[in-house]
Amino acid sequence: MSDCLFCKIIAGEVPSKKLYEDELCYAFYDIDPQAPTHFLVVPKAHIPGPHAVTEENAAAVGHIYAVIAKLAAELGLENGYRVVANDGPDGGQTVGHLHFHVLAGRSLAWPPG
Ligand code: 5GP
Ligand code: ZN
């Protein structure tokens, strides 16, 4: 989508600190980290958010979880991490392209605010 920030990041039109990329997904560090390690993994296809995941596009989501597990191992996150996908205003979503936050490096509170 031409006016989508994360589509622009995937296309290299907006700079990002890239962590990983393959044919289905792109991973990059969050510009405003909420934990010592905070990166985002997004599908290359423009999916507006968790609410727009369907049987037809869900393979990218499963793939992203496998990529997250691999990146977490590579980054040495053996103490654990949290994967978060926000949806809509009440979910706190601010960018309308499905993204999975990966937060690690400190003990994270539960429940979230
Ligand atoms: P959301 O609030 O939609 O769940 O998460 C959006 C995330 O994108 C936020 O954590 C925010 O810091 C991050 N973000 C927003 N704009 C940029 C940007 O231009 N570059 C990067 N790397 N992250 C961004
Ligand atoms: Zn997009």
Side-chain angles (χ1 to χ4, degrees):
M1 245 182 101
S2 57
D3 62 345
C4 170
L5 172 62
F6 287 173
C7 281
K8 287 179 180 163
I9 284 178
I10 293 162
E13 294 164 14
V14 170
S16 66
K17 196 174 166 197
K18 182 169 96 171
L19 185 57
Y20 175 83
E21 179 178 18
D22 63 26
E23 67 283 355
L24 287 178
C25 70
Y26 188 90
F28 57 105
Y29 284 100
D30 198 290
I31 204 167
D32 182 22
Q34 301 301 312
T37 298
H38 184 181
F39 61 89
L40 304 171
V41 189
V42 304
K44 285 193 168 172
H46 179 82
I47 299 171
H51 68 278
V53 175
T54 64
E55 295 292 349
E56 285 67 41
N57 64 24
V61 176
H63 175 70
I64 282 171
Y65 269 88
V67 165
I68 288 170
K70 195 180 80 160
L71 293 175
E74 286 175 9
L75 293 170
L77 306 182
E78 62 278 338
N79 222 36
Y81 55 91
R82 182 171 294 167
V83 182
V84 177
N86 296 323
D87 190 279
D90 280 1
Q93 184 181 13
T94 59
V95 178
H97 181 127
L98 179 63
H99 49 283
F100 296 86
H101 296 260
V102 180
L103 300 139
R106 67 175 172 84
S107 181
L108 297 159
W110 191 265

